[in-house]
Amino acid sequence: GAVVSQHPSWVICKSGTSVKIECRSLDFQATTMFWYRQFPKQSLMLMATSNEGSKATYEQGVEKDKFLINHASLTLSTLTVTSAHPEDSSFYICSAPGTSRVSYEQYFGPGTRLTVT
Amino acid sequence: KNEVEQSPQNLTAQEGEFITINCSYSVGISALHWLQQHPGGGIVSLFMLSSGKKKHGRLIATINIQEKHSSLHITASHPRDSAVYICAAPYSGGGADGLTFGKGTHLIIQP
């Protein structure tokens, strides 16, 4: 089956620094990838849709200047948390839809746990 | 935006019991997803269904498109089934959308 990887799996950074999270589709091409965030004890929330070759689409309430998304190739999307603050500490997970237009499968990465101190 | 409601939020059962988790959504959809999340956070996709019923091992998922309702059943439950089960629907109903998630059902199966 299709595999999506994320790197790093966890990261601890100091407040004010920037952190980049990578999401890769390993054995298929993904023109679209989705970025989600999950705070402790809460459900996953869609942050943005990453589109290869064009600007990402951000959900309401998500600051596009703080969460920079770059979908540079058909297999890689990156999320950069700029000037991170403790309230950005969260579990970030990406997904990519399958290539079949019929099945609507979504393949999830393993997630990245970000802790900002 | 699709609104997804799940019940119950917490469920504790004895090993061997038949488990049912319910999910309802507000916007007509192309497909509904059932996911499993373990304490480490990783997400496993269990089912993606657009009509009828699917079965995988002891897990069964059903969906009623007209009523905008889906159920996940676990037969002969086992402690290793303990996890958070989440249903998710396309954000605006379309197949190429990102997903909106229910709050999850925290299932504990006691030996």
Side-chain angles (χ1 to χ4, degrees):
Chain A
V3 177
V4 174
S5 71
Q6 273 183 251
H7 178 80
S9 54
W10 60 270
V11 57
I12 301 172
C13 70
K14 291 187 183 299
S15 187
T17 61
S18 294
V19 174
K20 180 186 285 188
I21 303 170
E22 293 184 348
C23 177
R24 291 183 186 273
S25 56
L26 296 187
D27 50 1
F28 67 105
Q29 293 182 336
T31 56
T32 299
M33 290 182 175
F34 302 104
W35 286 98
Y36 302 93
R37 177 169 57 182
Q38 184 179 37
F39 292 110
K41 308 287 188 188
Q42 295 188 27
S43 61
L44 289 143
M45 297 288 290
L46 178 65
M47 296 177 67
T49 300
S50 171
N51 303 298
E52 188 269 335
S54 64
K55 290 183 179 180
T57 305
Y58 292 82
E59 296 305 312
Q60 192 172 9
V62 178
E63 299 174 58
K64 62 181 180 182
D65 294 329
K66 181 170 183 60
F67 297 99
L68 301 179
I69 290 174
N70 183 16
H71 198 140
S73 75
L74 288 171
T75 59
L76 173 64
S77 174
T78 60
L79 169 68
T80 301
V81 183
T82 63
S83 187
H85 287 99
E87 56 265 31
D88 299 323
S89 298
S90 186
F91 185 65
Y92 293 86
I93 194 165
C94 67
S95 77
T99 53
S100 168
R101 292 292 179 194
V102 176
S103 73
Y104 306 125
E105 280 288 356
Q106 290 265 358
Y107 301 100
F108 288 87
T112 296
R113 192 162 299 281
L114 170 64
T115 302
V116 184
T117 61
Chain B
K1 176 190 167 187
N2 220 330
E3 301 289 337
V4 178
E5 299 286 338
Q6 253 184 269
S7 64
Q9 288 192 31
N10 296 284
L11 178 56
T12 300
Q14 296 297 313
E15 182 173 356
E17 285 190 41
F18 181 82
I19 304 298
T20 296
I21 300 169
N22 294 302
C23 175
S24 61
Y25 52 92
S26 59
V27 175
I29 58 171
S30 51
L32 183 110
H33 300 254
W34 280 102
L35 311 167
Q36 182 189 56
Q37 186 172 33
H38 283 280
I43 300 277
V44 174
S45 181
L46 298 175
F47 294 103
M48 191 279 304
L49 68 166
S50 53
S51 65
K53 176 179 173 179
K54 283 190 176 181
K55 185 175 188 290
H56 181 71
R58 295 179 293 106
L59 300 177
I60 303 166
T62 63
I63 190 167
N64 185 318
I65 295 293
Q66 287 73 31
E67 295 186 4
K68 298 187 178 65
H69 180 270
S70 177
S71 294
L72 176 69
H73 306 284
I74 305 175
T75 62
S77 59
H78 191 276
R80 65 174 174 268
D81 298 325
S82 299
V84 177
Y85 293 83
I86 304 168
C87 71
Y91 204 70
S92 302
D97 286 353
L99 300 176
T100 186
F101 298 82
K103 286 186 163 62
T105 295
H106 189 189
L107 175 66
I108 297 173
I109 304 296
Q110 295 177 335

